[in-house]
Structure formats: C-alpha cells, structure tokens
Amino acid sequence: MKIDILTLFPEMFTIFDHSIIGRAKENKILDINTLNIRDYTLNKHKKVDDYPYGGGAGMLMAPQPIVSSIQKAREDNKGKVIFLGPRGKTFNQEIANELSKEEELIILCGHYEGIDERVYKYIDLEYSMGDFVLTGGEMAAIPFIDSICRLIPGVLAKDESFQDESFYNGLLEYPQYTRPPVFEGDEVPEVLISGHHEKIRLWRKKQSLLITKAKRPDLFEKYELSKEDKKILYNFKK
C-alpha cells in the first residue's frame, strides 16, 4: 500500500520507521511518504494559515496550500483523500478492515482551528477518532494509519496476530497469561495448560463473550451470536 501524508509536521511520522511498520516499509510492503503542506504555499513568508472571516478565536488553514499539496500527491497517488476531522464518521475496526484493502491513500492532517470550507470538495472521506480534541491532525493520523497498515497481508508475522485481537471479530479479546504459572498466588487457568486445543478455544470464546457483555455492552448488542455462542452463554447460566 502507498500512503501519502499531507502535514505541517512531517518529522512526527518518523515513528513509522520503527518496529512492525518500519519492517514492512523495508520489505516494500508499505510505502509511507510525507508532503509538507508548507512547501506548497504561494505566500512568500511560507504562511499556511490566516484569520477566519467573521471573526473568532484562532487561525484557519488556508485553502491554497492544502489544495496544491493534494494536487501534488495525486500526481503519483490515485487513492482516496481522507481528512481526519470532527464531521466524519467515527473510525472503528470495520472501517480499518475496509481501508486496508485499498492500494493507495492520501491522508490530510488538519491544524489550528480547522480547514477552509472550500477544501472539502477535494476530500473523498472524513473520519473522526472520537469526540475529543487533539492539538493537530498528526496525533490522529498515527493510530489511524497504524490500525490500517497492520491488517495488510505480510505486515504482521502471522494472520493470527490480529484475528483474535479486540474488535477484529466484534468482541473484546479473551484474557491471556504467560509464565510463571503462579504469580502472587494467582494461578493460570488450568484449561490453558491442559494441551486440549478445543477446550482452550471454547474457554477463550466464552471469556470474550462474557467480557464484552460486561465491559462493552454496546459492542455486545451489535454482535451477531452464532449457535455456538448461544450454547456457550446458555451453559454459563446453568
């Protein structure tokens, strides 16, 4: 996948040169680039913002530098232009799954009090990371991009690395344990050291169902129970 990030702070994205994403870049699975919006302004002082018409607090990102940087990115990237802003649909795992199938994406990071309204006609999709305020779009873009990239085949060592994770299948992940078998008096559940793979699978499924129901009832209500799920929950109540 090729991703171009339009930002005022390209240095913030050196985080993608490390760990799993960095390895995927080295292996040519991912191509993540940054374009500094400030490089495309026609203002001789390199300004990219101005006061909003009608007054109000703060500064607004001007349209020309943003549009010019989008046009530059589109010379080599035909993907959808995505803006991370408050009007967008709340981002979730389902959206990450869909976007991971794209071959190219362009991510626009906003700043200050937002972007000039006239930029929106150049934007294909808008997503919100939640109902809270960040100091800039870069802060939102990092988890947004990471959550998409880790779903691309070959980025993680094994597909199982994300298929059992929280939210991937609509449920929270089951509890996990490692050595030692006893820590401060707490023992690892016996089933996990039994070596019985089917019993382990059923135990993990039951735990995922119960934890999701207790901790995130909103997710549980959306989850479509299978016959096996219903049987597991029925046996738990008995």
Side-chain angles (χ1 to χ4, degrees):
M1 175 185 277
K2 177 181 174 64
I3 298 176
D4 286 316
I5 307 167
L6 312 184
T7 172
L8 293 176
F9 299 96
E11 62 274 12
M12 293 183 69
F13 294 98
T14 57
I15 190 171
F16 291 134
D17 294 334
H18 306 282
S19 189
I20 292 170
I21 303 301
R23 185 176 67 234
K25 289 175 64 179
E26 292 176 358
N27 294 334
K28 309 301 182 184
I29 299 171
L30 297 174
D31 181 13
I32 302 176
N33 309 289
T34 57
L35 285 80
N36 192 332
I37 296 171
R38 200 176 298 278
D39 291 341
Y40 299 94
T41 180
L42 298 179
N43 183 282
K44 65 180 181 179
H45 301 296
K46 295 295 183 180
K47 279 193 64 176
V48 295
D49 62 331
D50 213 327
Y51 294 102
Y53 281 119
M59 305 288 279
L60 203 63
M61 289 184 73
Q64 179 274 313
I66 299 176
V67 172
S68 293
S69 62
I70 290 174
Q71 291 170 337
K72 178 62 178 178
R74 278 183 164 162
E75 291 179 6
D76 299 309
N77 187 326
K78 307 306 179 186
K80 295 180 176 69
V81 177
I82 298 175
F83 177 55
L84 302 176
R87 300 181 189 176
K89 182 178 180 180
T90 302
F91 185 67
N92 58 27
Q93 189 67 33
E94 182 180 356
I95 296 171
N97 292 340
E98 288 302 312
L99 291 177
S100 71
K101 300 170 187 175
E102 299 285 337
E103 294 185 3
E104 298 180 325
L105 293 172
I106 299 172
I107 313 297
L108 171 61
C109 301
H111 232 275
Y112 309 116
E113 294 301 312
I115 61 175
D116 188 290
E117 187 69 22
R118 292 165 291 186
V119 175
Y120 276 95
K121 63 183 178 183
Y122 294 90
I123 294 170
D124 299 303
L125 299 168
E126 182 175 4
Y127 294 111
S128 167
M129 298 303 285
D131 296 336
F132 53 90
V133 180
L134 296 170
T135 56
E138 291 79 12
M139 301 293 191
I142 290 171
F144 179 84
I145 294 169
D146 182 74
S147 65
I148 294 168
C149 289
R150 67 197 313 279
L151 298 173
I152 297 170
V155 172
L156 299 183
K158 296 180 181 179
D159 288 345
E160 290 80 8
S161 295
F162 65 78
Q163 287 177 349
D164 286 336
E165 289 179 336
S166 293
F167 308 117
Y168 182 78
N169 62 1
L171 297 173
L172 296 179
E173 192 175 7
Y174 47 79
Q176 300 213 57
Y177 301 83
T178 187
R179 293 178 177 83
V182 180
F183 178 70
E184 294 183 344
D186 290 335
E187 297 184 14
V188 174
E190 186 176 347
V191 64
L192 297 179
I193 56 178
S194 69
H196 196 297
H197 296 298
E198 179 61 10
K199 287 183 178 179
I200 292 172
R201 186 188 70 81
L202 290 172
W203 181 87
R204 286 175 167 172
K205 190 61 177 291
K206 180 179 78 171
Q207 296 302 315
S208 285
L209 288 164
L210 295 177
I211 289 172
T212 305
K213 187 175 182 180
K215 302 290 187 180
R216 289 293 303 275
D218 56 318
L219 289 178
F220 189 79
E221 288 179 9
K222 297 176 185 177
Y223 179 74
E224 187 173 345
L225 293 170
S226 66
K227 289 182 179 180
E228 181 182 72
D229 296 335
K230 293 176 182 177
K231 183 177 179 180
I232 289 172
L233 292 174
Y234 175 75
N235 290 333
F236 173 75
K237 292 178 181 178
K238 291 177 65 176

